[in-house]
Amino acid sequence: GGRTLFVSQAAVGDVLNVRVDRDQGRVAHASIVEVVTPGPTRIQPPFPRLADCGADFQHLTYEAQLAAKQAIIADCMKRIAGIELLATVPIIPSPEEWHYRVRAEWRHDPRAEVLGYLRQGSHDVVDISDDPLVLPELNEAYQSLHLRLSTGELPDWATEIRGAAGADGVSLAPPLDGDGPRPVTLEVGGEAYTFDADCFFQVNLGVLDLLVDEALKFAPLPGDLLSPATRKAIDLYSGVGLFTLPLARRFEQVIGVEAQPRAAEFARQNATDAGLDNVRIEALPVERWLEHAYRTHGRVPFVLLDPPRTGLPAPAIRGLLRMRPQRIAYVSCDPATLARDVKTLLGSGYELLDLTAIDMFPQTHHVETVAHLERIG
C-alpha cells in the first residue's frame, strides 16, 4: 500500500512473516516472526545471543554488511543532508570480522547473577560466557570476570565494568583489585598512545592506521615548508591524542580540546613522550572552548573533529563557524548526525570534498565515516 516497513535483522531477498511493533502511519517498524525463504546474503548468526545486544548484522555475509553500510551513508546524505552522491561511498573493510575490539563495556546484574551486554532498548543483561567481539587478551579478562561471577566473587557494586587492551596488558575500570585503572599502551601509525579503561579510544586497532591517514588526507605533509596553511590545527574531542600527535608533525601548533580530564592528561603525557612541544591540550567541553576561540585563534587552516554519536551540539557548530576554518575533517560514528551537521556546514559556506567509510564495527550496523570539507571563497 505504498507504506515503508523497516524490518529489524532482515536481509536483502528475504521472504518473511513479520509482526508490526510500531506503526507511524506511512512508516512502520517490524520484527521477524519467521524466515520463509532466506535471501542470498543471509547466513546463520554465529553468536545469536548477541543479536539483540548490538551485533545486529551478524546474520549477513561480510560483503553484505559492507554494502548495507554504504547504503546507510548514502541514504542519510540524501534524506538528511539533501546530497545525492554520484558514486558509492568507498568503504575500508576491517581485517578482522570478530575479536577486533580493544575496548568494551560489560554490564553485571548481581540480582540475576549475569554478566554480558545490555539487550537493546532495555535494562536486561544478556549473559555470555565469553566475548567474541573483543581482542583475545581482553576476552581472557572477561572470562576471568565471568568465573568470579560463578564463584560469587564479583562484587555487587561492580555493575558496569569497562575493559581496554594494550600491547602491555589489560586495564579494567573500576579496578576490582588495586588502586586505579592500569594504564596500557598501543601503537598507531608509529605513535605510542597510553590510556586506560576510563578513557575513550577508537575500538578497532586493525583499521586505526587507515583512519588516521584518511582523517589527515588533506592536511599538509610532515616536513612541508612553513606557510599560512601549516600555522595551526585544532583537534576537537581529541581524547588521548589519536589525531593530535600526527597533526603536531604537520603543523606549527596544535590545540587539542577534550572535556574528560583524565583523557586530557593522557593526551598531554602522550605528546610529551613523543617529544612534541607544539601541542596544547585544553580540558574543556568543546562548545565552551569554542565560545570565544575565534577571537584568539582567528581563521585556522585546519580543524579536525571526532564528536560522540550525537554529533556537534548547536553551540559547538556555531562556534566552529565563527572560526571560519579553511578545511574541516569530520570523523563520525553516526551517518545521520554527520549528515545533519554537513547540511549545516554546506549552508554556511563549505563544500564537501570527500567522503570515505571505514568498517570500525563489524557485525553491527554502525560505521565510521570521514568527511572532508573546504571553505568556498
Side-chain angles (χ1 to χ4, degrees), residues 361-373:
F361 316 98
Q363 314 307 327
T364 82
H365 70 274
H366 299 294
V367 60
E368 198 84 358
T369 312
V370 182
H372 293 277
L373 300 105

Side-chain angles (χ1 to χ4, degrees), residues 141-159:
Y142 176 80
Q143 289 173 328
S144 176
L145 291 171
H146 208 276
L147 179 61
R148 292 178 71 158
L149 173 71
S150 66
T151 58
E153 298 175 74
L154 193 61
D156 286 358
W157 53 261
T159 55

Side-chain angles (χ1 to χ4, degrees), residues 32 37 67 84 97 135 138 149 174 183 187 189 196 214 228-229 241 247 254 257 261 266 272 296 300 310 316 318 339:
I32 297 171
T37 306
E84 186 83 56
E97 298 174 26
L135 293 181
L138 194 51
L149 173 71
E187 184 176 305
D196 65 26
E214 192 60 42
L247 282 170
V254 175
V257 185
F266 275 119
T272 299
T296 306
V300 295
T310 50
R318 287 196 296 269

Side-chain angles (χ1 to χ4, degrees), residues 4 63 65 121 150 157 226 231 280 327 335 337 374:
T4 299
E63 292 74 17
Q65 291 185 32
S150 66
W157 53 261
L226 298 181
R231 178 176 61 87
R280 189 167 90 239
R327 285 207 167 110
T337 55
E374 184 172 29

Side-chain angles (χ1 to χ4, degrees), residues 4 31 53 62 73 87 104 109 131 158 182 228 234 264 278 326 368:
T4 299
S31 54
C53 305
Y62 189 55
I73 295 168
D109 184 346
D131 188 346
R182 170 190 176 184
I234 309 294
N278 59 335
Q326 185 60 32
E368 198 84 358

Side-chain angles (χ1 to χ4, degrees), residues 114-284:
V114 292
L115 177 68
Y117 289 106
L118 283 180
R119 190 184 307 279
Q120 286 186 320
S122 80
H123 297 289
D124 297 334
V125 177
V126 176
D127 189 75
I128 53 173
S129 57
D130 71 311
D131 188 346
L133 290 169
V134 300
L135 293 181
E137 54 268 40
L138 194 51
N139 190 31
E140 287 182 19
Y142 176 80
Q143 289 173 328
S144 176
L145 291 171
H146 208 276
L147 179 61
R148 292 178 71 158
L149 173 71
S150 66
T151 58
E153 298 175 74
L154 193 61
D156 286 358
W157 53 261
T159 55
E160 297 182 13
I161 303 173
R162 295 171 295 282
D168 48 354
V170 169
S171 175
L172 292 177
L176 304 182
D177 307 296
D179 297 328
R182 170 190 176 184
V184 294
T185 301
L186 284 173
E187 184 176 305
V188 178
E191 306 284 0
Y193 300 92
T194 300
F195 60 102
D196 65 26
D198 269 334
C199 297
F200 172 80
F201 197 80
Q202 294 282 4
V203 300
N204 190 335
L205 186 62
V207 296
L208 286 194
D209 285 14
L210 298 170
L211 174 64
V212 172
D213 288 346
E214 192 60 42
L216 273 59
K217 180 189 289 186
F218 291 97
L221 294 173
D224 275 4
L225 295 175
L226 298 181
S227 71
T230 64
R231 178 176 61 87
K232 185 180 293 182
I234 309 294
D235 183 10
L236 303 176
Y237 307 95
S238 56
V240 301
L242 177 65
F243 301 109
T244 316
L245 271 56
L247 282 170
R249 303 201 184 274
R250 298 163 182 253
F251 290 89
E252 295 173 56
Q253 183 187 14
V254 175
I255 300 171
V257 185
E258 171 55 48
Q260 191 199 34
R262 187 155 178 81
E265 189 55 43
F266 275 119
R268 293 188 187 102
Q269 190 60 51
N270 289 334
T272 299
D273 292 346
L276 298 167
D277 58 6
N278 59 335
V279 171
R280 189 167 90 239
I281 302 297
E282 301 279 0
L284 287 169

